Amino acid sequence: MKTNTIQNLTNFSGTIIIPVFETYEKNIVPIAFDGLEIPAKVFFGKKDTHYLAEIKDNLHLFVGLGKTVDYKTLKTTFRRIAAKQKEHLSANVALVLPEQFTADQVEAMISGLLLGTYDLGHFKADKKAHPFLDSDFTLNLVSEKDHLATANKAIKIAKAQLGVYNLVDLPPNTITPKYLSTWAKETGEKYGFEVKILGYDASKIAGLGAFLAVGKGSENEPQFIIMNYTPKQKVKSMKHVGLVGKGITFDTGGLNIKTAGMVHMKCDMAGGGAVLGAMQLIADLQLPVKVTAIVPCAENSVDAKSFLPSDVIHSYSGNSIEIIDTDAEGRLVLADGLSYLIKNFKPEYIVDIATLTGSSVGTFGYECAALFTNNEEMAKKLQDSGDSVGERLWPLPLWDVYKQDIESDIADVKNYSGKLVAGAISAAKFLEYFTQEHTAWAHLDVAGVAFGDDEFAKSKHATAYGVHLLTKFIENL
């Protein structure tokens, strides 16, 4: 997608998109643009409406925004236009941007348009390319302001999110741990961050016992992905952020096999996908922050070699873990990821992100992710960052009274409380155990928001939740 700025439409030929805020329904003054006048009875900018008109060989597409609009709604509106009106879109599009539009609103509109090119039918024989993906496609910005920098940033955001759509939506016989490690290497080479991969042997030598236990039942070798980004320009007092993402490419539940919902468990690497996408975006934007990210990738399968309920395994931290439930595997790979990150890289801030518990879905539904941290400043920065891009978070407690849920008689800690209550909290307490009391750690349980239903497909699919949130949080530091 190429971008260009023009100040008028004198010699333009193609599709013109005009965003319109809602006016009074009975307004006697029509909406006027480029020789067109639309009576309010026909179109007055109401939210989720649009109006098509053709004049001077150009197709005019008026988009209703409603009275007020937030980032997420604006982005979704323009994704809808690109996805559902593509037969009216050409390889030359003009987006009209009146003076009142802010940089954030322009960013949301343009990234939404590019996200609208996504097609879930990866393996369909009759799949047709979106006109925006034509090599000659140009998006012209009709504005008296220079929005090119904002447009280019919006395109980078959307490209990172589109990449994560692919990673999460593609089937588990494609997205294996090896696929993710190869993707990380290739992306690192393209965008400018270092990647190191620990396979089975290297992970065993390193002592990543909890991580390796999860992948024992799979023929697909686990991959422990370590990524390091350092900005090209040196910055004084540069912050160092650590990210850890759960990369379970498919989760059967192990020997505690799932009885429902297994068909959706290709999404269990969505936290890891968010970290991979964030690393691409952080490097693409050249943010002036050092970032170290770890994505432990494994497949939790059922096999004679699978780890067993009541096993005691040894983690990278040196602590022993009693296995109560093999379906509580995500916290095991994250435990080793957190311990490895803290011991070897010592970041100032740490955020882990995972599709960890159904409990978080039971608490918040599909509206926001669960946030756990004892650092109030970090909680506020994460929530503010999420609110600004439409990826919302809400806190749950990490009170010490919940420690009893993970106490074990035979080992240092157990991986599941065995209770049907406070599951998201006890999982967070388990992770906290492996943070060595780090003072700036946050855990995001995104089980309810990483994979869901919406108007863009008939089945559940990826949302890329976390890519923009993590990047915005780091950018705001």
Side-chain angles (χ1 to χ4, degrees):
M1 180 184 279
K2 300 186 289 290
T3 55
N4 180 37
T5 297
I6 58 177
Q7 292 189 339
N8 62 68
L9 297 163
T10 305
N11 298 311
F12 182 80
S13 179
T15 306
I16 303 169
I17 301 176
I18 308 106
V20 180
F21 282 103
E22 184 175 337
T23 59
Y24 182 50
E25 184 178 0
K26 297 180 180 179
N27 192 358
I28 60 172
V29 179
I31 292 172
F33 179 82
D34 196 27
L36 280 171
E37 288 192 352
I38 310 169
K41 288 183 179 180
V42 177
F43 174 81
F44 58 95
K46 186 179 179 181
K47 183 181 176 182
D48 296 335
T49 65
H50 66 274
Y51 181 80
L52 283 165
E54 190 171 359
I55 188 172
K56 301 177 185 177
D57 295 325
N58 289 332
L59 186 69
H60 293 67
L61 179 53
F62 293 83
V63 182
L65 303 181
K67 293 179 181 178
T68 58
V69 65
D70 57 60
Y71 189 99
K72 183 178 181 180
T73 301
L74 195 54
K75 193 169 185 173
T76 302
T77 297
F78 278 80
R79 182 181 177 186
R80 181 185 303 120
I81 291 297
K84 299 187 178 183
Q85 301 295 328
K86 62 182 178 182
E87 69 273 16
H88 300 302
L89 301 172
S90 65
N92 198 30
V93 169
L95 175 61
V96 179
L97 299 170
E99 283 190 19
Q100 71 263 37
F101 283 107
T102 66
D104 283 346
Q105 289 173 329
V106 174
E107 178 185 286
M109 285 188 278
I110 294 173
S111 60
L113 285 174
L114 187 50
L115 289 182
T117 65
Y118 182 69
D119 185 349
L120 190 57
H122 292 284
F123 300 98
K124 288 185 178 289
D126 61 349
K127 185 175 181 179
K128 296 178 182 177
H130 195 285
F132 286 4
L133 300 179
D134 189 294
S135 59
D136 294 326
F137 174 75
T138 302
L139 178 64
N140 300 279
L141 307 178
V142 184
S143 175
E144 294 183 359
K145 294 181 180 179
D146 184 0
H147 288 293
L148 279 180
T150 299
N152 290 329
K153 181 179 180 181
I155 291 168
K156 290 175 181 181
I157 292 167
K159 282 183 175 179
Q161 291 177 319
L162 286 167
V164 177
Y165 285 174
N166 286 324
L167 292 179
V168 178
D169 283 334
L170 283 167
N173 57 336
T174 297
I175 305 295
T176 61
K178 186 66 176 177
Y179 185 103
L180 291 181
S181 66
T182 300
W183 190 95
K185 283 181 179 178
E186 292 174 351
T187 304
E189 289 173 3
K190 181 177 180 180
Y191 289 93
F193 56 88
E194 297 175 358
V195 180
K196 180 181 179 181
I197 308 296
L198 303 183
Y200 177 84
D201 290 337
S203 296
K204 190 172 183 180
I205 292 169
L208 295 165
F211 165 64
L212 289 177
V214 174
K216 282 174 64 177
S218 174
E219 65 177 8
N220 291 307
E221 181 184 10
Q223 304 278 285
F224 196 82
I225 303 172
I226 306 163
M227 297 169 281
N228 276 294
Y229 160 76
T230 304
K232 293 175 183 177
Q233 291 185 330
K234 292 184 178 180
V235 180
K236 290 182 179 179
S237 303
M238 185 165 56
K239 305 287 187 184
H240 184 190
V241 179
L243 303 175
V244 183
K246 174 185 172 183
I248 301 297
T249 55
F250 195 80
D251 180 23
T252 65
L255 292 179
N256 290 109
I257 195 163
K258 291 181 183 292
T259 55
M262 199 193 299
V263 70
H264 296 137
M265 284 301 103
K266 65 180 182 179
C267 81
D268 216 20
M269 45 65 66
V275 169
L276 291 168
M279 286 299 288
Q280 173 184 317
L281 183 53
I282 289 161
D284 203 7
L285 295 174
Q286 275 296 302
L287 297 186
V289 179
K290 179 177 172 60
V291 183
T292 302
I294 291 177
V295 181
C297 301
E299 188 177 79
N300 188 22
S301 297
V302 181
D303 185 82
K305 296 180 181 178
S306 298
F307 69 134
L308 307 173
S310 78
D311 273 355
V312 174
I313 63 175
H314 292 275
S315 66
Y316 181 81
S317 68
N319 296 109
S320 56
I321 304 169
E322 180 186 8
I323 304 303
I324 302 299
D325 192 328
T326 61
D327 196 21
E329 86 300 330
R331 65 200 70 182
L332 297 176
V333 302
L334 290 174
D336 272 1
L338 287 165
S339 296
Y340 192 94
L341 176 72
I342 292 166
K343 180 179 178 180
N344 295 286
F345 298 102
K346 300 176 176 60
E348 296 168 68
Y349 302 89
I350 300 172
V351 182
D352 76 71
I353 180 169
T355 51
L356 207 62
T357 69
S359 173
S360 68
V361 185
T363 303
F364 294 124
Y366 305 101
E367 301 305 320
C368 72
L371 165 64
F372 296 88
T373 181
N374 284 322
N375 186 307
E376 290 185 11
E377 180 187 359
M378 202 170 175
K380 186 175 188 311
K381 285 183 181 292
L382 281 164
Q383 283 188 279
D384 288 347
S385 298
D387 287 344
S388 69
V389 299
E391 297 183 5
R392 302 173 77 181
L393 296 162
W394 199 255
L396 289 175
L398 278 171
W399 300 326
D400 280 346
V401 68
Y402 290 106
K403 274 185 179 179
Q404 60 188 341
D405 288 346
I406 58 169
E407 291 174 351
S408 168
D409 289 327
I410 194 171
D412 292 317
V413 68
K414 63 185 180 184
N415 78 325
Y416 178 58
S417 67
K419 300 176 183 178
L420 295 177
V421 295
I425 298 174
S426 60
K429 290 302 290 183
F430 179 87
L431 294 178
E432 183 186 44
Y433 185 87
F434 295 90
T435 63
Q436 299 177 20
E437 299 182 347
H438 196 285
T439 57
W441 160 73
H443 161 57
L444 312 183
D445 189 335
V446 298
V449 291
F451 198 70
D453 295 299
D454 61 29
E455 63 191 273
F456 298 108
K458 296 176 183 177
S459 57
K460 286 183 179 292
H461 54 282
T463 67
Y465 181 102
V467 174
H468 202 180
L469 165 62
L470 293 173
T471 305
K472 194 73 173 178
F473 167 71
I474 290 169
E475 186 178 26
N476 289 341
L477 286 176

